[in-house]
Amino acid sequence: ALAGAGTAAAVATGAVLTVAATAIINALVPIQAPTLGTTQSPGSVYNVTTAANQARLAQPIPVIYGRMLTFPDYAGQPYSEFDGNNDQYFYAVYCVGQGSYIKERLQIDDTALEHYADVTWEVLPPGSLPLFALANVVSATEVVGQTMLSGRPIGGFSACGPTLSVAAIGIDVAFPGGLGLADSSGNIGNLSASFRSDARYIDDFGTAIGDWFALGTETVTRATSTPQRLTFKYSLGTPGRVEVRIVRIDAKNPSNNALHTMVWGGMRAYLSGTATLCPTATHFAIRIRASEQLSGLSSRKISGIWRRKLRTWSSAGGWGPEIETRNPMWARLDKLTNTVYGDGLPDARIDLQTHADIAAVCDARQDRFDMLFDAKVTSLDADRTICQSARSVPFQRAGVCSLTRDQLQILPVT
């Protein structure tokens, strides 16, 4: 009985020591799930029900690794214009993410952009500016389809906010019931409508600092019962902040056979200067004819499949040029060395050889890392997330960033 009691005590003591040793090891080398975006609102790429383009003001510019389907954020306010054929064109500039990418596919919902009529797009590498779609356009929310009455000005409405400077004004005029005069047989003949647009300069407090001056006088003649929408664009002689008003200068035909209702449909300010796009990020711009093929909902469902380009390292040649890769080790090295969104460490602070060795293992096993970072995370959490896909754990030894992989070892290690 005494011997049995001694054996039980020894087993209990051994169990206590094992638990204590495990607690110490876990405290020294914690293995825990990464926390992504605990202080910021992430994008909607991981939520199918809410996936859409959005303007994430004051949020981090995304960083994509590997191959990802994303709904890029707006890099400027999207806007629409109408041409002389009554067609509406949708313009937008999007931010793909920090770094360089290869475009695999652009689509609206699940339909490739190539299947839409009159669509143009361009991928803008870091440092490039768009050619046909502008990222420095501001739409006036106050103009929402006010009916224009003869001799009665509408406005003025400020074209942009304080501290901004306008180079040109865009005005949308619509005839919701068409424009024309029907005879007793129902045939529609020509009918005209005229209006004048005025502007005056204002300061950042909205106080006028000049007199009204005419932007332009327009006359529209049509013979149709189809709704008509037109855009008129006026350049300012001197860029500045202005308010705009519009007035109908012809007399509306009171006949029941006259289609003569005119409304102010919208106003845009084309700001002076170049757009302030992030010089280290990739963008893309789009122009698409919206009539009968692009609704307000689908215009926020523009997505793309992007493949990241990263530098690689070898002991023989050092750093190589950027190539398309999904290897988690090259993503880790990019995160450690990048000076914009990463740690910005010099090569002397990184165990490059170990990363290259594990990168070769990942290539042989086809281990891939496809991830979108679109919220603030700590450096350690990002390291753990990246290394986890290679079954590795990051650590620092004498100030040098390294990692170890959970794999068969020749000698026992801790």
Side-chain angles (χ1 to χ4, degrees):
L2 292 176
T7 302
V11 171
T13 302
V16 170
L17 292 176
T18 300
V19 172
T22 302
I24 293 174
I25 292 174
N26 288 339
L28 294 176
V29 189
I31 306 299
Q32 63 185 41
T35 56
L36 295 179
T38 56
T39 60
Q40 297 287 344
S41 299
S44 57
V45 66
Y46 298 113
N47 190 338
V48 177
T49 59
T50 61
N53 308 112
Q54 54 184 322
R56 300 193 311 127
L57 301 179
Q59 298 294 310
I61 293 178
V63 176
I64 304 173
Y65 289 119
R67 177 178 180 270
M68 285 290 295
L69 168 67
T70 68
F71 293 83
D73 303 326
Y74 291 119
Q77 284 192 16
Y79 61 98
S80 297
E81 293 179 348
F82 302 97
D83 65 2
N85 297 322
N86 203 34
D87 284 330
Q88 182 182 15
Y89 283 85
F90 173 79
Y91 297 83
V93 179
Y94 303 88
C95 180
V96 177
Q98 295 278 11
S100 300
Y101 301 85
I102 295 176
K103 175 193 70 67
E104 179 178 323
R105 174 185 172 94
L106 292 176
Q107 59 191 25
I108 299 178
D109 282 331
D110 296 325
T111 304
L113 283 184
E114 293 87 348
H115 297 166
Y116 290 85
D118 297 330
V119 58
T120 306
W121 72 84
E122 59 177 342
V123 178
L124 307 169
S128 301
L129 293 176
L131 298 177
F132 54 84
L134 303 177
N136 56 346
V137 178
V138 178
S139 298
T141 58
E142 301 93 333
V143 182
V144 289
Q146 288 91 335
T147 301
M148 299 165 59
L149 303 178
S150 301
R152 190 174 300 177
I154 302 176
F157 297 126
S158 176
C160 64
T163 73
L164 300 179
S165 178
V166 179
I169 296 292
I171 292 179
D172 298 334
V173 174
F175 300 88
L179 179 60
L181 182 62
D183 59 20
S184 58
S185 301
N187 300 317
I188 300 178
N190 284 331
L191 190 60
S192 298
S194 302
F195 67 92
R196 187 186 72 248
S197 303
D198 300 327
R200 67 177 175 184
Y201 291 97
I202 58 176
D203 60 17
D204 289 340
F205 299 97
T207 304
I209 55 177
D211 297 328
W212 291 102
F213 60 92
L215 290 173
T217 301
E218 309 293 342
T219 298
V220 181
T221 303
R222 294 286 190 276
T224 179
S225 59
T226 302
Q228 300 295 299
R229 300 165 297 178
L230 300 166
T231 293
F232 300 91
K233 191 173 181 179
Y234 308 100
S235 298
L236 296 178
T238 302
R241 189 184 184 207
V242 296
E243 62 179 357
V244 179
R245 72 182 183 186
I246 194 169
V247 58
R248 182 170 187 168
I249 58 177
D250 69 318
K252 181 181 177 183
N253 192 322
S255 172
N256 292 331
N257 294 332
L259 305 174
H260 212 205
T261 299
M262 180 166 52
V263 301
W264 189 3
M267 180 175 66
R268 288 170 305 282
Y270 301 85
L271 304 181
S272 59
T274 57
T276 55
L277 299 180
C278 179
T280 59
T282 296
H283 300 79
F284 84 92
I286 187 173
R287 174 183 183 267
I288 182 170
R289 183 165 62 88
S291 299
E292 300 177 357
Q293 63 175 343
L294 187 67
S295 66
L297 178 62
S298 60
S299 65
R300 297 184 63 249
K301 291 285 189 177
I302 297 177
S303 61
I305 300 177
W306 308 95
R307 306 199 300 264
R308 183 68 188 271
K309 297 171 64 177
L310 296 171
R311 296 188 304 165
T312 61
W313 183 90
S314 66
S315 58
W319 289 104
E322 289 186 342
I323 62 171
E324 176 192 343
T325 179
R326 299 169 67 186
N327 193 302
M329 292 300 98
W330 306 136
R332 171 92 193 288
L333 289 181
D334 175 75
K335 178 264 174 189
L336 291 176
T337 60
N338 194 281
T339 57
V340 177
Y341 53 84
D343 299 315
L345 299 178
D347 291 353
R349 293 280 310 279
I350 305 172
D351 184 0
L352 295 173
Q353 187 59 58
T354 300
H355 283 82
D357 293 341
I358 298 181
V361 174
C362 292
D363 285 337
R365 287 174 40 88
Q366 298 186 23
D367 290 339
R368 302 291 180 255
F369 180 65
D370 303 321
M371 180 72 183
L372 169 69
F373 290 97
D374 61 353
K376 288 183 178 181
V377 296
T378 66
S379 177
L380 181 57
D381 282 337
D383 282 334
R384 287 170 174 165
T385 302
I386 297 173
C387 294
Q388 197 175 48
S389 62
R391 208 162 65 188
S392 303
V393 176
F395 66 90
Q396 284 195 21
R397 180 171 50 204
V400 176
C401 294
S402 185
L403 73 165
T404 183
R405 187 173 184 276
D406 182 15
Q407 60 186 0
L408 178 64
Q409 305 286 349
I410 299 176
L411 295 175
V413 297
T414 58

